[in-house]
Every structure is written in structure tokens, then in C-alpha cells.
Amino acid sequence: MIKVEESSELFSLLNAENQALDEIMTDFNSKFPRIRHFRLCTSLLMLLEDKSVLKSTQRLVAFTILHQAYSSQQSSMNPFISFLINAACNEEAEKYERGFILQLLASSNSSNSKEVLKQTATDFVKGFDPSSQAFPQQEQLQQQYCDRVHPEPYNCLLRNATVKNVVPDPDVPSGCDLNSPEFDLEPGAKPKLGSGDRDEALTGLLQNLSLEGFGPRWIRPLPPRLLIQDELVWLNPDNNHELQWDYGMCADTSRGAAVRDLIAKALKGPLAPAQQEQVFVELGNDPKLVYHCGLTPIKLPDLVENNPLIAVEVLIKLINSAEIAEYVFVMLIYLSCFITEMISIPAL
């Protein structure tokens, strides 16, 4: 939820029980940017939900932060206003805690009521007089501080089924109040929760608390089987495949290479009679070499101009191919250009 350094600084503010509450809020606003207020307040809310986690003075400081972090806005805009109202109406809570929250809520509407923030948490607990504090009904507080009245509290079924992040310490007897004065420690001694360090446990909770707790896992039913016989064939796939052998992998390609080299020379100039004869022999022995000799329709005019006999032999071999139409088309263009050039030459 929050960073390690943030948890340490927030816990130090909770322990400032002898510091005025308005000074604590000044430190809170100076240490934490506004964009982090919601995460910090959410962590405090989860600590406040279990009464055994924080001491009485720490709880008052936490309630102050929840309220004053959004004091610049209307009360209905505070995301924790419902929690504060519910805590103020909780009859099982201590009366000084309920009275403190009521005075916090009133401080947002009256400047005189802000005197509560000038006290320390310790002074408020010691000086609180229950007879001087009125405890209104929950509906009245909702009408006064919320934008709507909730007749019944919202209960999340999934959250009710979760295991809380905080569990009772097995080393502490049941019903024992750790905040009782009889457990006050000597100066300089660290407070302990059972056999563990209470401060260390609280900072660890601030760093690792989550909104969900340990919730139940969603049930994921197995999908039904299809009504076909071979649906589960993929569990034991059939790997008896026949190998396809490439018989041309190790074939002798030297003859094709020789024809390619001779055709490449034939495109640039006339070949010697012996070279022409070699081309005729190779094409006669393997007519398919004509498809791998490197000749294309665009190169055909060069072959006709330099070695016309080889060009004729190649066209004869290509007569049944699908590309013969392209070769014929190129030859027609070549011949038309040749005839036009011959006509334009004046007679001597």
C-alpha cells in the first residue's frame, strides 16, 4: 500500500500523543504530497477497524488525519466521512473516542469548534467529560455531513468472507486490554504485543496491508466435455508421423551451375562454338535446366542479339511453359523496335 519510508513517518505521527493535533496535521501535509493522502488514509482506516491494533491516543490521531486531510472540501466529499460517522455512532466504542469524532465533524462548520485541534490526544482523553457531550443519532449526522442518508450500512459479502489481515496475538489472554494503564511500561522500554515488538508489527502492517485481505478464491468449475468421441485425443497425441525425404537435397547441381554461367556470358557477348555446343548438350540432357539457367523475359533481347541460336533453343524448351507468353510478348516488342529502326535508316 505505502512505501517503507512513508510507513515510518506515518507511524511517528501516530506516536506524537503529546503534540498538538493541528501541529501533527501540519507535519502530515508537509511530509506527504496531496496525491498520497488517500493511500495513507486508507492504511489508517484498516488499522482503525481493529480496536486492538492502535492505542487510544493513536486512534485519535488517526481519526484526525482521516478528517483533516480533506478539511478543505465539503464534508460530503471526504471519502472517509461514512466511516467517521459510523465510528461516532458505535455504542461499543469509548465515549471519549465518539465525542472526539463528533467535535472533529463540528470543526468543519464552526471556527470555535477547532479548539479541539489545539489539544494533544493525551490531554483530550484525560479531560473529556461524557456528561457535556451529546451523542446524536446516525441519521441526523448523515443528513448534516453526507449528501445522502443510508438507512442500512452496506455490507460486502466477499469482504465478510475474507480472513482479516490482523489476528489476535496468541500470547495475549482473551479479553485482556493492552491499552489498560496497568500495562504501562517504564520510561525507555519498548511496548510489546505478546512476545513481539508492537511498533515493528504496526509499521509492518502499514507496509503490507491490502484492501481485500485474504479473500476466498473464486471457484473455477471445470468446463464440460464435448459430445464427441475424440475430444481428449490431445492428452495422448499420436506421434507416428511419416518422414518426408527431400531427394533433391544432395543432388548434383554442377551441370545447372555450368549452364547458368554460360547463359550469363551469352547475355553479354557471343559464345565460342564449343561453349554453344555445351549449352545445347546440357539442355538436351535435362530440358528442365532451362527454368534454372537464370534467363528472364527481360533478358531475352540481349540473348537474341548476342547468341540467336541459343535463344531459339531456349524458346523451344519453354514452348510448353506458363511463361512462354511473356517471352513472346517481349520478342514482339523487340522485333517491332528492330523493324522500325531498320526502316528509319536511309538507303545508301
Side-chain angles (χ1 to χ4, degrees):
M1 288 292 295
I2 59 178
K3 302 176 182 178
V4 176
E5 58 273 11
E6 289 178 336
S7 64
S8 301
E9 294 178 354
L10 184 60
F11 185 69
S12 65
L13 293 179
L14 293 178
N15 283 332
E17 54 188 16
N18 295 322
Q19 186 177 358
L21 296 174
D22 55 356
E23 296 179 0
I24 293 177
M25 285 309 305
T26 301
D27 294 341
F28 177 83
N29 293 324
S30 62
K31 291 180 178 179
F32 307 109
R34 183 175 295 273
I35 194 174
R36 301 291 298 172
H37 284 186
F38 180 77
R39 286 184 176 271
L40 296 168
C41 291
T42 302
S43 299
L44 292 178
L45 183 144
M46 287 185 285
L47 293 180
L48 288 169
E49 287 181 339
D50 194 308
K51 298 179 181 179
S52 63
V53 175
L54 298 177
K55 298 186 295 185
S56 57
T57 54
Q58 291 175 335
R59 292 179 62 85
L60 297 189
V61 174
F63 282 122
T64 302
I65 295 176
L66 290 184
H67 182 268
Q68 292 299 115
Y70 297 91
S71 60
S72 59
Q73 306 175 10
Q74 296 182 358
S75 298
S76 59
M77 301 300 294
N78 189 329
F80 307 99
I81 189 64
S82 297
F83 175 78
L84 292 172
I85 292 176
N86 293 336
C89 300
N90 185 8
E91 296 181 356
E92 298 180 358
E94 298 290 342
K95 288 189 175 182
Y96 64 81
E97 183 176 296
R98 298 175 59 190
F100 179 78
I101 299 174
L102 290 173
Q103 293 187 33
L104 276 180
L105 295 174
S107 66
S108 58
N109 298 329
S110 174
S111 58
N112 295 331
S113 300
K114 292 187 178 181
E115 294 294 330
V116 65
L117 298 177
K118 297 181 180 179
Q119 305 180 52
T120 65
T122 303
D123 292 340
F124 184 88
V125 173
K126 292 180 179 179
F128 178 74
D129 184 9
S131 61
S132 62
Q133 179 68 53
F135 298 95
Q137 296 295 322
Q138 185 173 4
E139 292 77 8
Q140 180 181 349
L141 294 177
Q142 289 179 348
Q143 291 177 353
Q144 185 174 358
Y145 299 108
C146 297
D147 55 352
R148 62 176 65 92
V149 177
H150 304 280
E152 295 181 0
Y154 171 74
N155 291 321
C156 178
L157 296 179
L158 180 61
R159 182 168 182 174
N160 292 339
T162 58
V163 179
K164 291 185 178 180
N165 291 327
V166 181
V167 296
D169 193 328
D171 296 331
V172 178
S174 178
C176 178
D177 184 11
L178 292 176
N179 297 324
S180 176
E182 59 184 276
F183 291 100
D184 289 345
L185 300 176
E186 298 179 359
K190 284 188 175 183
K192 288 190 174 184
L193 189 63
S195 59
D197 190 333
R198 183 190 184 108
D199 294 352
E200 183 179 352
L202 287 178
T203 53
L205 284 174
L206 288 173
Q207 298 169 22
N208 300 296
L209 278 180
S210 63
L211 288 172
E212 294 83 6
F214 301 102
R217 297 182 60 183
W218 290 103
I219 299 177
R220 301 177 183 269
L222 298 177
R225 290 179 55 184
L226 298 178
L227 299 178
I228 57 177
Q229 183 178 1
D230 298 331
E231 187 207 357
L232 301 180
V233 67
W234 55 271
L235 293 177
N236 298 294
D238 184 10
N239 293 325
N240 296 325
H241 303 295
E242 294 184 1
L243 297 177
Q244 297 295 326
W245 185 258
D246 184 6
Y247 294 96
M249 182 184 298
C250 300
D252 184 13
T253 58
S254 59
R255 292 188 303 173
V259 172
R260 284 195 298 271
D261 293 341
L262 291 174
I263 292 296
K265 294 179 180 179
L267 295 175
K268 299 177 181 179
L271 295 180
Q275 293 176 328
Q276 292 185 14
E277 185 63 24
Q278 183 180 357
V279 173
F280 295 149
V281 172
E282 295 291 348
L283 293 179
N285 294 334
D286 189 0
K288 293 184 179 180
L289 287 179
V290 74
Y291 300 104
H292 310 288
C293 64
L295 182 64
T296 61
I298 299 178
K299 299 178 181 179
L300 182 59
D302 294 335
L303 185 61
V304 172
E305 184 175 351
N306 295 310
N307 294 276
L309 295 178
I310 295 179
V312 171
E313 184 68 20
V314 169
L315 290 176
I316 293 174
K317 301 295 182 183
L318 293 171
I319 196 66
N320 295 323
S321 69
E323 300 177 353
I324 188 61
E326 298 182 21
Y327 284 98
V328 173
F329 179 73
V330 172
M331 280 301 303
L332 291 176
I333 296 177
Y334 173 75
L335 291 175
S336 63
C337 294
F338 179 76
I339 294 173
T340 302
E341 184 178 355
M342 293 298 294
I343 294 174
S344 62
I345 297 176
L348 298 176

